[in-house]
Amino acid sequence: MAIIPATWDMYDLIQGFLQAPAYHLIFEALLMVLIAKLFFSKSYKPEKIRLSEKEKEVLVKEWKPEPLAPDVPDDHPALQAMEKYCVDGAVGKTVNINGKDCINMATLDFLGFIGNKEIEEEAIKALNKYGVGSCGPRGFYGTMDVHLDLEDRLAQFMQTEEAILYSYGFVTIASAIPAYSKRGDILFADEGIGFAAQKGCVASRSTVKWFRHNDMEHLEELLKEQEVEDKKNPKKAKVTRKFFVIEGIYANYGDICPLPAIMELKRKYKVRIFLEESMSFGVLGATGRGVTEHFGVSIDDVEMVVASLENSMASIGGFCCGTKFIIDHQRLSGMGYCFSASQPPMVAVAASKAMELMQNNPVMLVKLRENCERVHKAIKDIEGVEVRGSPLSPVIHLQLSEPAADRDLDMKTLLMVQDKAISQGVAITPARYLDNEEHLLPQPSIRLSVSSQLSEEEIDKSMDIIKAVFRSVLSGNTAGHGGGGDSAEAHS
Amino acid sequence: MNVGVAHSDSNPNHSVYNSKGIWVTYILIIFLSHLFILSVPFFSVAIAWTLTNVLHDVIMFMMLHITKGTPWETPDQGDARTETQWEQIDYGKQFTATKKFLTTVPILLFFLASFYSKYDKVHFILNASVLALSIIPKLPQLHGVRLFGINKY
């Protein structure tokens, strides 16, 4: 190899190449063939659609904008209610309807914090200091000291490591579920869970297995079925997360979840828990910590407790609390947290103040419990009406014990009850649902809400009125059916 | 990532390798790591090249063929949880420019490592076996195939 000077740096290397073993050269030749094959195979280009001017015009012409808001039927309940009733002032313990003060048993304001002067003062102070809006999402200039204070307060109160605030109660559970449960995971959900939790289940894209409302046997059946499945494919089971989705007090039924039984199943089948406490936070337990305190279950055993601040706390927003790593995950994966503007600071301050009032004055919880029991006792025996709900629950559903086949007919009866009760000074309302979107539409009912502010006399008086109204409407209703017959006769 | 560009894809893994400058960045990272390894005093040139090749192939194998789903992006709710990063590139289409590029680079690296290790037998065995890690899982015939059920779930 005289061409290459022996002193050149590359000399050795080139020598190595020229003396390369045959197997190596064959291997390299094969690789060259592979590269050639790659480059000569037909190239696929990710699609780029290019439209000509003509096509663009056609598309623009074809486009018809949808109406910004769909047409609302004239008999929409919201419109009818607006025509019929006009509420003036704050919706507190009493509510002024059409110029008449009524005892309010319709608003979910269990501790009577709506219209509380102390809270209002604090909120106004915050308004003067921070202005109204919070400027942006929490991760994007929207975090104020009051948000952090409220998170700390909630975590401390709930005795968990950390809490996270959402700016709207509905999205709290609807974001928390999809943050953890993904495609391929399994949610064991109670059929009675509220609409927000249902939407969370849908948004998670997980497999949802519904068990009958508060039916532990059915739940265990489903878990056993799942266990058999898991044994067939243990590798897959290892990466499948399983969750219970339950509520403390079910908003749609007013009963309490059997938490101890659920904890047992949780331990036995290794499932995590999403616990929705919107109705039980600030209601159950000696200090208002919710259903865990009520049953004496350690909150550390429940992975995630989610609650809205819109009921007992009479504010806006919601929170989720648990261990540090569970909560921190949501700060990047909770859609409602990441992508919506944080609570207005004054609202956070109002919630903080409400928490403070509740903590300093736990007597109001005792009072609330007494009031709930009193209402339950009083309302028990109306003929033709079934009372749903636990005696400790401030949400009570009054259903017709003989529902008609037609849902609308029952609703009409209940609306008559509502109208009569309001005219006699007690504001009540039927429970409203999005009929076509609920997983399992509950039977029509009047949803009573009990406040700790009500005195015994007020409760007795309003219970008497409600009972009397139900009696007169139900006895009149049979007559009403007859009346229908009458009008038919009149037509003939 | 498509920095400064709004994309409406809930899974950016589909298009991340088509972003501007990402091929150059990839080559630069290999080159700089190689320089770094070369600068270690007791490594000969041959060892440095083999080490570059081995590290590159093993790391890329972990990045492209072991990691599944969308570890840093959650909005797809686990849609791609059964697919490796390689299978997600360009929506799983074969013979795209990105895929050709990503297949060619380890082969060229192997040529270089062979050349600088003077076609030594030990180096050849090492380099060729890690090259297999980089080439075999990329073959179109093995799209979505999990040999012996490894890494299936």
Side-chain angles (χ1 to χ4, degrees):
Chain A
M1 296 296 143
I3 348 158
I4 307 163
T7 49
W8 192 39
D9 279 355
M10 290 292 273
Y11 178 79
D12 274 355
L13 291 168
I14 305 272
Q15 282 299 317
F17 174 66
L18 293 174
Q19 291 157 17
Y23 67 86
H24 201 133
L25 290 179
I26 294 170
F27 189 73
E28 288 202 354
L30 284 175
L31 288 175
M32 297 293 272
V33 172
L34 179 66
I35 293 182
K37 194 174 170 293
L38 264 184
F39 276 78
F40 286 109
S41 60
K42 196 173 165 257
S43 196
Y44 160 82
K45 269 199 181 135
E47 267 177 60
K48 258 188 199 152
I49 302 168
R50 277 182 211 286
L51 295 173
S52 67
E53 287 301 315
K54 215 176 173 185
E55 282 170 312
K56 277 184 199 165
E57 264 172 42
V58 171
L59 281 176
V60 170
K61 262 184 199 160
E62 274 177 8
W63 182 68
K64 272 196 196 104
E66 274 185 34
L68 282 177
D71 281 337
V72 181
D74 291 337
D75 61 338
H76 193 277
L79 286 182
Q80 281 184 329
M82 263 157 68
E83 271 168 28
K84 219 159 43 176
Y85 297 118
C86 178
V87 172
D88 201 23
V91 188
K93 178 184 141 188
T94 58
V95 51
N96 187 301
I97 300 177
N98 294 345
K100 188 178 172 220
D101 270 331
C102 300
I103 296 171
N104 184 1
M105 296 202 77
T107 310
L108 299 169
D109 172 29
F110 309 132
L111 299 178
F113 283 150
I114 294 180
N116 184 302
K117 284 284 164 264
E118 281 176 75
I119 295 176
E120 269 181 15
E121 259 168 46
E122 285 288 315
I124 289 169
K125 259 190 234 161
L127 175 66
N128 289 329
K129 185 173 172 193
Y130 299 96
V132 178
S134 62
C135 181
R138 284 293 300 278
F140 214 74
Y141 308 115
T143 299
M144 313 264 165
D145 51 354
V146 289
H147 295 123
L148 300 174
D149 289 346
L150 180 52
E151 279 180 357
D152 285 347
R153 186 182 270 280
L154 283 163
Q156 219 169 25
F157 174 70
M158 296 299 283
Q159 297 176 346
T160 53
E161 283 176 21
E162 212 174 310
I164 182 172
L165 267 182
Y166 283 80
S167 37
Y168 181 36
F170 188 95
V171 302
T172 313
I173 183 80
S175 301
I177 295 177
Y180 300 96
S181 185
K182 308 282 177 188
R183 266 190 188 80
D185 297 335
I186 301 172
L187 293 168
F188 294 93
D190 189 293
E191 282 190 326
I193 55 172
F195 194 58
Q198 290 173 31
K199 287 292 129 186
C201 293
V202 172
S204 75
R205 309 285 198 273
S206 316
T207 317
V208 186
K209 304 207 166 176
W210 299 98
F211 62 93
R212 284 190 292 274
H213 179 50
N214 273 352
D215 187 342
M216 289 304 108
E217 276 162 28
H218 188 205
L219 175 58
E220 186 155 22
E221 228 171 78
L222 291 178
L223 286 165
K224 273 186 182 145
E225 274 170 30
Q226 188 55 40
E227 202 179 30
V228 174
E229 283 285 308
D230 287 352
K231 272 195 184 131
K232 278 185 206 156
N233 201 342
K235 265 191 177 171
K236 187 180 179 188
K238 222 176 143 188
V239 293
T240 306
R241 283 161 288 209
K242 291 176 222 128
F243 301 93
F244 290 146
V245 185
I246 49 172
E247 278 180 36
I249 292 177
Y250 285 88
N252 292 352
Y253 295 92
D255 42 13
I256 300 175
C257 71
L259 196 61
I262 289 174
M263 296 310 285
E264 225 167 80
L265 291 179
K266 167 202 153 85
R267 263 178 230 113
K268 194 168 163 197
Y269 295 95
K270 298 196 172 58
V271 186
R272 298 178 174 101
I273 295 186
F274 286 117
L275 179 56
E276 226 284 275
E277 292 231 64
S278 292
M279 295 293 155
S280 49
F281 176 71
V283 172
L284 290 181
T287 55
R289 231 169 260 137
V291 74
T292 47
E293 192 183 28
H294 173 71
F295 283 113
V297 170
S298 161
I299 198 159
D300 299 332
D301 293 341
V302 179
E303 275 69 22
M304 220 183 331
V305 172
V306 183
S308 155
L309 294 169
E310 290 162 14
N311 301 332
S312 346
M313 291 302 113
S315 180
I316 297 173
F319 72 93
C320 171
C321 62
T323 53
K324 211 173 170 59
F325 63 87
I326 289 183
I327 298 307
D328 273 344
H329 178 71
Q330 288 177 62
R331 296 197 192 271
L332 283 176
S333 306
M335 296 292 153
Y337 180 89
C338 288
F339 299 112
S340 92
S342 57
Q343 286 169 308
M346 58 177 172
V347 171
V349 168
S352 265
K353 185 71 193 171
M355 294 268 304
E356 193 190 316
L357 290 179
M358 180 178 78
Q359 277 169 288
N360 292 343
N361 197 7
V363 178
M364 62 174 76
L365 293 163
V366 179
K367 181 79 178 116
L368 175 62
R369 219 153 296 145
E370 284 171 7
N371 281 358
C372 292
E373 279 167 3
R374 198 175 181 85
V375 169
H376 264 272
K377 223 181 195 172
I379 203 105
K380 233 177 3 197
D381 37 54
I382 315 175
E383 212 171 307
V385 173
E386 199 181 331
V387 181
R388 291 289 299 257
S390 145
L392 288 175
S393 154
V395 184
I396 300 154
H397 285 266
L398 305 178
Q399 301 173 340
L400 300 178
S401 46
E402 284 170 17
D406 183 9
R407 202 183 156 78
D408 294 341
L409 205 66
D410 282 354
M411 206 60 193
K412 267 183 199 150
T413 313
L414 294 176
L415 282 174
M416 272 162 72
V417 172
Q418 168 199 292
D419 294 345
K420 280 201 172 180
I422 289 177
S423 69
Q424 293 184 34
V426 184
I428 55 175
T429 176
R432 299 281 190 185
Y433 308 97
L434 286 175
D435 291 10
N436 300 323
E437 304 211 6
E438 286 278 341
H439 167 69
L440 189 75
L441 192 57
Q443 204 189 316
S445 60
I446 294 269
R447 192 193 61 199
L448 289 186
S449 156
V450 184
S451 163
S452 68
Q453 299 274 310
L454 295 173
S455 67
E456 291 179 2
E457 296 79 53
E458 281 165 327
I459 289 178
D460 292 345
K461 189 185 139 207
S462 43
M463 285 306 111
D464 286 343
I465 291 174
I466 291 174
K467 274 198 228 173
V469 165
F470 256 112
R471 265 186 215 119
S472 79
V473 169
L474 288 179
S475 60
N477 211 26
T478 36
H481 282 300
D486 286 343
S487 62
E489 274 165 36
H491 279 298
S492 64
Chain B
M1 274 301 283
N2 304 323
V3 178
V5 183
H7 64 84
S8 53
D9 200 339
S10 61
N11 181 0
N13 289 347
H14 293 142
S15 53
V16 63
Y17 285 98
N18 297 334
S19 322
K20 224 177 223 174
I22 203 131
W23 291 10
V24 177
T25 313
Y26 172 49
I27 300 285
L28 270 180
I29 290 173
I30 298 173
F31 179 66
L32 291 176
S33 339
H34 176 65
L35 283 189
F36 176 76
I37 294 168
L38 256 184
S39 65
V40 180
F42 48 86
F43 284 165
S44 69
V45 174
I47 289 181
W49 270 103
T50 303
L51 208 57
T52 309
N53 186 43
V54 169
L55 282 178
H56 168 268
D57 286 357
V58 170
I59 291 173
M60 287 308 276
F61 180 68
M62 293 199 293
M63 276 173 59
L64 290 179
H65 304 292
I66 291 184
T67 322
K68 292 192 296 182
T70 51
W72 299 282
E73 283 279 334
T74 47
D76 84 327
Q77 286 297 326
D79 198 13
R81 71 193 188 287
T82 56
E83 289 173 335
T84 62
Q85 303 293 308
W86 173 261
E87 284 156 2
Q88 291 172 46
I89 294 174
D90 294 330
Y91 300 89
K93 292 277 185 338
Q94 300 297 341
F95 300 118
T96 60
T98 296
K99 287 196 167 176
K100 287 177 180 177
F101 171 71
L102 287 178
T103 319
T104 313
V105 170
I107 297 179
L108 293 182
L109 259 185
F110 171 79
F111 288 166
L112 283 170
S114 298
F115 179 73
Y116 281 103
S117 61
K118 294 178 196 153
Y119 297 85
D120 180 75
K121 202 173 181 177
V122 179
H123 284 272
F124 170 74
I125 292 171
L126 264 173
N127 285 326
S129 45
V130 289
L131 180 63
L133 281 185
S134 266
I135 296 294
I136 294 173
K138 290 194 172 74
L139 295 175
Q141 289 81 0
L142 292 180
H143 187 92
V145 177
R146 301 279 176 273
L147 294 173
F148 313 112
I150 297 168
N151 199 19
K152 192 167 179 194
Y153 293 105

